[in-house]
Amino acid sequence: MVDDVRVRLDRHEIALLGDSAEVGNLTTQVAWGLAREAQAHALRQTGRGAGSIQAWPGRDGTGPYTDVSWDQDHFYMSFAEWGTGDRPARPALRPALDRYVHL
Protein backbone atom coordinates (compact mmCIF):
# COMPACT_ATOMS: atom_id res chain seq x y z
CA MET A 1 0.00 0.00 0.00
CA VAL A 2 1.37 3.40 -0.94
CA ASP A 3 0.05 6.52 0.72
CA ASP A 4 0.97 10.10 0.02
CA VAL A 5 1.11 12.58 2.86
CA ARG A 6 1.06 16.23 1.84
CA VAL A 7 0.97 19.37 3.90
CA ARG A 8 -1.24 22.01 2.34
CA LEU A 9 -0.59 25.64 3.10
CA ASP A 10 -3.17 28.41 3.00
CA ARG A 11 -3.15 29.65 -0.61
CA HIS A 12 -4.35 33.10 0.36
CA GLU A 13 -1.46 33.56 2.79
CA ILE A 14 1.00 32.22 0.24
CA ALA A 15 -0.36 34.60 -2.38
CA LEU A 16 0.40 37.45 0.01
CA LEU A 17 4.01 36.27 0.16
CA GLY A 18 4.27 35.92 -3.60
CA ASP A 19 5.96 33.26 -5.70
CA SER A 20 9.52 34.21 -4.91
CA ALA A 21 12.86 32.56 -4.28
CA GLU A 22 12.42 33.40 -0.60
CA VAL A 23 9.20 31.37 -0.41
CA GLY A 24 10.94 28.42 -2.09
CA ASN A 25 13.88 28.70 0.31
CA LEU A 26 11.60 28.83 3.35
CA THR A 27 9.67 25.80 2.11
CA THR A 28 12.93 23.88 1.70
CA GLN A 29 14.19 24.94 5.15
CA VAL A 30 11.01 23.62 6.78
CA ALA A 31 11.28 20.38 4.78
CA TRP A 32 14.91 19.89 5.88
CA GLY A 33 13.81 20.22 9.50
CA LEU A 34 11.25 17.50 8.90
CA ALA A 35 13.86 15.35 7.13
CA ARG A 36 16.28 15.66 10.08
CA GLU A 37 13.50 14.72 12.50
CA ALA A 38 12.69 11.63 10.40
CA GLN A 39 16.39 10.69 10.11
CA ALA A 40 16.76 10.82 13.89
CA HIS A 41 13.90 8.37 14.46
CA ALA A 42 14.21 6.03 11.46
CA LEU A 43 14.99 2.36 11.89
CA ARG A 44 18.65 1.73 11.35
CA GLN A 45 21.00 -1.15 10.95
CA THR A 46 23.79 0.67 9.14
CA GLY A 47 22.29 4.17 9.14
CA ARG A 48 22.49 4.51 5.36
CA GLY A 49 18.72 4.24 4.89
CA ALA A 50 18.00 6.85 7.55
CA GLY A 51 20.72 9.05 6.09
CA SER A 52 19.08 8.86 2.68
CA ILE A 53 16.01 10.76 3.91
CA GLN A 54 16.32 14.09 2.15
CA ALA A 55 14.38 17.18 1.18
CA TRP A 56 13.84 17.31 -2.60
CA PRO A 57 12.79 20.83 -3.71
CA GLY A 58 10.76 21.42 -6.86
CA ARG A 59 8.33 23.76 -8.52
CA ASP A 60 5.03 23.13 -10.27
CA GLY A 61 2.14 25.23 -11.54
CA THR A 62 1.17 26.28 -8.02
CA GLY A 63 4.67 27.32 -6.95
CA PRO A 64 7.50 25.84 -4.91
CA TYR A 65 7.20 22.59 -3.00
CA THR A 66 9.61 20.20 -1.33
CA ASP A 67 9.16 16.44 -1.04
CA VAL A 68 10.69 14.65 1.95
CA SER A 69 11.57 11.01 1.36
CA TRP A 70 14.39 8.50 1.04
CA ASP A 71 16.23 8.16 -2.25
CA GLN A 72 15.49 5.41 -4.79
CA ASP A 73 18.42 3.26 -3.66
CA HIS A 74 16.81 2.99 -0.23
CA PHE A 75 13.28 2.12 -1.36
CA TYR A 76 13.16 -0.59 1.30
CA MET A 77 12.59 2.15 3.90
CA SER A 78 8.97 2.13 2.73
CA PHE A 79 8.62 -1.41 4.13
CA ALA A 80 9.38 -0.12 7.63
CA GLU A 81 7.26 3.01 7.10
CA TRP A 82 4.10 1.15 6.07
CA GLY A 83 4.73 -2.40 7.33
CA THR A 84 4.44 -5.66 5.43
CA GLY A 85 2.41 -8.82 5.76
CA ASP A 86 5.11 -10.18 8.09
CA ARG A 87 6.18 -7.06 9.97
CA PRO A 88 4.28 -4.20 11.57
CA ALA A 89 4.91 -0.62 10.51
CA ARG A 90 7.75 1.22 12.26
CA PRO A 91 7.28 4.63 10.62
CA ALA A 92 9.70 7.55 10.68
CA LEU A 93 8.19 10.09 8.27
CA ARG A 94 4.62 10.21 9.56
CA PRO A 95 5.55 10.58 13.26
CA ALA A 96 8.25 13.11 12.31
CA LEU A 97 5.61 15.18 10.59
CA ASP A 98 3.42 15.03 13.72
CA ARG A 99 6.35 15.97 16.00
CA TYR A 100 7.77 18.65 13.74
CA VAL A 101 4.47 20.39 13.07
CA HIS A 102 3.85 20.69 16.81
CA LEU A 103 7.32 22.00 17.77
Side-chain angles (χ1 to χ4, degrees), residues 36-75:
R36 285 190 295 276
E37 181 73 19
Q39 288 171 348
H41 294 90
L43 273 178
R44 49 182 89 238
Q45 284 183 305
T46 66
R48 288 188 299 261
S52 78
I53 298 172
Q54 304 287 319
W56 309 94
R59 177 174 292 282
D60 64 14
T62 62
Y65 68 89
T66 304
D67 291 328
V68 176
S69 187
W70 42 83
D71 63 25
Q72 289 181 348
D73 291 340
H74 297 89
F75 68 91

Side-chain angles (χ1 to χ4, degrees), residues 43 70 76-83 88-95:
L43 273 178
W70 42 83
Y76 57 83
M77 296 291 287
S78 64
F79 301 142
E81 187 73 21
W82 302 106
R90 304 254 330 253
L93 289 174
R94 292 173 291 153

